[in-house]
Amino acid sequence: MKEVPLLQVVNISKQFGGVRAVDGVSFELCQGEILGIVGPNGSGKTTLVNLLTGFIKPASGKVFYKGRDITALAAHEIAGLGIARTFQMVRPFYHLPAFKNLIVPLYSPRVKRLSGGKFGDRDAVAIDLLEEVGFERDSFVPYKPASALPHGYLKRLELARCLALRPALLILDELFSGLSMAEVASTLPVLEKLQIEGITLIMVEHRLRELFRLANRVIVLNFGAKLAEGTPQEIINNEEVKEAYLGSEAV
Amino acid sequence: MVSRRRERLERGIKVRTDDVYALCSTKEMLYLVAPRLIPILVLLLLPLILPTYWQKVVIFTGVFALLSISWDFLYSFTGLVSLGQALFFGVGAYLAGSLNHYFDISPGLTIPISTIAGATLCTLFLLPALRLRGIYFAMITLVLPLIFLRIIEATAILGGTDGLTALAPLPGIWIELYLILGIMLVALFALRRLVNSDFGLVLRGIHDNDQAVKGAGINIYWYKAQALFIAALLGSFAGAYLTHVYMFVGLSAFALDFTVVPIAATVVGGMGTLGGSVLGAFILVPLSEVLRAFGPLRIVFYALLIVVFIILKPEGLFNYLQRKYREFERWVEV
């Protein structure tokens, strides 16, 4: 796996006041990989996602996507390149029906370009996508306003909104948090299917069991810095990680 | 003791989809068409029976209705809190006035030119403020007209405090009346259609959650600028139009009334419907004329009535009527 990396993060840092939220993190990501990012609360995982997707600009360091420097690009431009993200705190369009939530990414310049200018029926594509992430097609659920949906559906709506963008790299910020076991179980095959389609995934996750099942490689953050990197098995056996992440309970 | 409660039922979904199903019976077609057609007919026929004074009131109402639609479009559908309807209005008014006064261009041209040029200018003025949200954006829109007002006053350009007088009138009261009513109706129905198009969905997405729209690969500033341009079109047209009706443009074109009354009209009429803005304007502006009999106490009664409206029907009149129209009510035993 040593071709040109899909994503290359070089020594990226960001401070909030005196807090070093992300402190000199570097890593590489290859096409088709699933990279897990874990770490205790406040270790800078979401900030790292925000830095990669242009929602926050780094104080120093660079991000390269397919060899191109994207550090200075705006968030919508980065999304336009095919780096889609979900939000840990769900951000649906509450006033719109669930399926209309997907019209927004389907209307984006990226999707217009990929579909060759003519699109056809956006509503039908939206309903298909919702079915893919587990919305019941023949029920009222896809037509309900997002404000009336339970949290589990909103989380999967986040995922669907990213899929609508036809991403090459999908960054999932704690997709599984707040989902029931059944919902997680039904979402896992969606992610496995994405991997088969060759979509690269970065998963920020607290649900380690599900993550370790999917991920090829895991990065552990602690106090904004990279503590460890390796296969799930290496991470599980790493003493430093146990101490930082799992605390004394696991010892 | 049998207690009873009122049960509310929504009408069947087929009737409300505005879809091809509606064509299956005359009754359902009427159900959809009547609430649109009747107000239009009333609006178009009303000027024919009104005395001249009230015809002028209708003109003034139409101007405020346009500004109200413009405000509601920006606030309810794009999430831009604008206190700058006076900016749109004033820029359009002064452009039309100057074009007519200095270059002797006829109203038939000054109005369309000022509408488009005014909207472009307003959009450019507010471009740096587009990154701001909520009250911060509102502050900028509020301050700009005040700045222009003082600049004109201090430098005595564009007629200074006297304004530009003896401008060309529009040809006749009927043209005046039906021009504003026509444009108002076209703006209303065009915007109602626009906000339900895919373009409009993006705007509503920005209102709900601009970060998520960014994440969907869409440049929100480009969309906000377009929304601003559309809203400014309506405001600038209203300004240019009223300049030629009054044959005068002065500092009053930047008056706070043009900002405040549209907001009050939209709140009374019902936010997020566009139709509510028109309804609100057609209640508040004539009401203000009726209350002239009270002399100095006029504003007191006016303000009290607005407060009563807001307390009794906070959802707005249009939303209330729409809900009643779509619901059945019946008493059921519990």
Side-chain angles (χ1 to χ4, degrees):
Chain A
M1 298 245 292
K2 264 298 163 200
E3 64 261 50
V4 177
L6 184 75
L7 190 78
Q8 198 178 4
V9 180
V10 184
N11 209 13
I12 203 165
S13 297
K14 175 73 188 177
Q15 292 92 24
F16 295 115
V19 182
R20 289 165 173 269
V22 172
D23 191 6
V25 172
S26 304
F27 63 90
E28 284 183 4
L29 186 62
C30 293
Q31 172 77 40
E33 235 186 328
I34 296 187
L35 175 71
I37 297 178
V38 300
N41 289 329
S43 60
K45 303 183 296 292
T46 295
T47 307
L48 183 60
V49 172
N50 284 336
L51 290 171
L52 298 182
T53 48
F55 281 83
I56 298 176
K57 295 289 163 227
S60 66
K62 295 240 177 270
V63 183
F64 297 93
Y65 176 67
K66 291 180 179 167
R68 178 183 167 194
D69 185 357
I70 60 165
T71 320
L73 293 186
H76 68 89
E77 291 170 318
I78 292 178
L81 291 172
I83 304 180
R85 67 165 298 185
T86 67
F87 290 92
Q88 180 185 4
M89 297 304 189
V90 289
R91 290 178 171 274
F93 307 124
Y94 281 111
H95 293 91
L96 301 180
F99 78 108
K100 290 283 185 193
N101 269 255
L102 303 190
I103 302 296
V104 175
L106 288 175
Y107 194 68
S108 67
R110 172 180 172 82
V111 177
K112 271 183 203 163
R113 195 172 61 238
L114 290 180
S115 55
K118 49 184 170 184
F119 202 87
D121 192 358
R122 287 194 181 84
D123 289 358
V125 177
I127 300 278
D128 288 347
L129 277 167
L130 283 182
E131 190 182 28
E132 207 173 304
V133 297
F135 280 59
E136 294 81 0
R137 173 188 276 275
D138 292 322
S139 68
F140 283 115
V141 181
Y143 304 96
K144 276 189 183 169
S147 53
L149 291 178
H151 188 253
Y153 279 99
L154 293 180
K155 276 279 180 181
R156 286 178 283 166
L157 186 60
E158 285 281 320
L159 178 60
R161 205 175 56 215
C162 288
L163 296 183
L165 202 57
R166 300 208 207 163
L169 169 59
L170 186 53
I171 304 180
L172 304 172
D173 194 355
E174 296 202 21
L175 182 70
F176 290 152
S177 66
L179 289 190
S180 69
M181 292 307 276
E183 283 165 335
V184 171
S186 71
T187 314
L188 280 172
V190 180
L191 300 185
E192 281 162 357
K193 187 167 158 256
L194 291 176
Q195 190 187 22
I196 292 166
E197 286 169 7
I199 293 171
T200 315
L201 287 173
I202 295 179
M203 295 177 67
V204 174
E205 201 52 70
H206 273 307
R207 307 270 283 246
L208 299 184
R209 185 177 314 178
E210 286 81 10
L211 179 70
F212 286 171
R213 214 184 96 191
L214 280 170
N216 308 112
R217 202 150 52 88
V218 176
I219 289 176
V220 185
L221 292 182
N222 197 24
F223 295 112
K226 192 162 82 175
L227 184 72
E229 179 175 353
T231 62
Q233 202 53 49
E234 286 167 3
I235 296 298
I236 290 171
N237 296 330
N238 187 319
E239 285 302 321
E240 255 186 305
V241 174
K242 270 186 195 167
E243 200 172 309
Y245 191 83
L246 303 170
S248 54
E249 203 178 354
V251 177
Chain B
M1 176 82 192
V2 183
S3 66
R4 300 204 302 163
R5 70 182 174 86
R6 209 152 47 164
E7 186 183 51
R8 287 178 175 158
L9 293 168
E10 285 252 308
R11 271 169 212 271
I13 196 160
K14 276 188 180 178
V15 192
R16 290 183 292 109
T17 49
D18 301 28
D19 212 334
V20 67
Y21 296 119
L23 296 174
C24 62
S25 84
T26 337
K27 200 178 152 200
E28 292 196 355
M29 274 166 72
L30 261 183
Y31 175 84
L32 284 176
V33 171
R36 293 164 173 82
L37 204 59
I38 291 170
I40 294 177
L41 286 178
V42 169
L43 265 183
L44 292 180
L45 295 177
L46 197 63
L48 298 174
I49 53 165
L50 287 176
T52 316
Y53 174 77
W54 283 98
Q55 284 178 337
K56 290 282 181 194
V57 174
V58 169
I59 288 176
F60 210 54
T61 310
V63 165
F64 275 111
L66 266 184
L67 291 171
S68 310
I69 297 174
S70 159
W71 188 83
D72 195 25
F73 175 66
L74 275 187
Y75 177 72
S76 305
F77 295 100
T78 323
L80 291 169
V81 186
S82 157
L83 294 175
Q85 260 50 41
L87 172 72
F88 306 155
F89 185 90
V91 170
Y94 263 99
L95 271 176
S98 318
L99 286 173
N100 187 249
H101 185 263
Y102 295 112
F103 303 102
D104 208 21
I105 300 172
S106 72
L109 280 175
T110 58
I111 293 181
I113 293 173
S114 321
T115 304
I116 292 168
T120 314
L121 279 176
C122 292
T123 312
L124 290 177
F125 289 145
L126 289 174
L127 222 45
L130 276 186
R131 288 182 180 268
L132 304 176
R133 269 185 286 179
I135 197 74
Y136 304 101
F137 178 79
M139 296 294 284
I140 306 280
T141 57
L142 178 65
V143 161
L144 276 177
L146 299 177
I147 292 177
F148 289 133
L149 190 99
R150 295 301 166 212
I151 289 177
I152 292 171
E153 193 180 349
T155 59
I157 51 165
L158 302 172
T161 44
D162 295 333
L164 302 170
T165 49
L167 301 173
L170 286 165
I173 180 90
W174 299 111
I175 302 268
E176 285 178 3
L177 269 169
Y178 284 105
L179 180 62
I180 190 72
L181 288 179
I183 292 282
M184 186 194 83
L185 288 172
V186 168
L188 172 62
F189 285 99
L191 281 187
R192 274 182 71 99
R193 184 162 282 242
L194 181 77
V195 297
N196 284 313
S197 69
D198 290 350
F199 175 85
L201 282 175
V202 174
L203 294 184
R204 287 155 73 182
I206 294 173
H207 174 77
D208 260 0
N209 212 317
D210 55 353
Q211 298 294 310
V213 179
K214 273 189 199 171
I218 285 177
N219 185 351
I220 59 169
Y221 305 113
W222 168 236
Y223 277 83
K224 280 187 184 180
Q226 291 181 73
L228 202 56
F229 179 77
I230 293 168
L233 274 180
L234 304 185
S236 293
F237 171 82
Y241 164 84
L242 205 63
T243 294
H244 285 293
V245 171
Y246 282 174
M247 298 178 274
F248 164 78
V249 58
L251 293 178
S252 58
F254 285 114
L256 209 53
D257 299 28
F258 296 114
T259 292
V260 175
V261 176
I263 300 178
T266 308
V267 170
V268 167
M271 288 195 277
T273 57
L274 298 170
S277 310
V278 174
L279 183 64
F282 272 84
I283 291 169
L284 288 192
V285 180
L287 184 68
S288 144
E289 293 302 319
V290 172
L291 291 176
R292 268 185 202 284
F294 292 100
L297 282 178
R298 177 168 78 116
I299 297 296
V300 175
F301 285 109
Y302 190 59
L304 281 177
L305 277 169
I306 291 181
V307 170
V308 168
F309 256 122
I310 291 170
I311 290 173
L312 291 183
K313 285 280 161 279
E315 61 184 333
L317 216 50
F318 192 94
N319 286 322
Y320 173 76
L321 293 173
Q322 183 163 282
R323 196 156 55 74
K324 286 289 156 194
Y325 189 69
R326 286 177 176 176
E327 275 175 358
F328 293 108
E329 272 187 349
R330 62 177 181 192
W331 288 96
V332 288
E333 286 179 2
V334 183

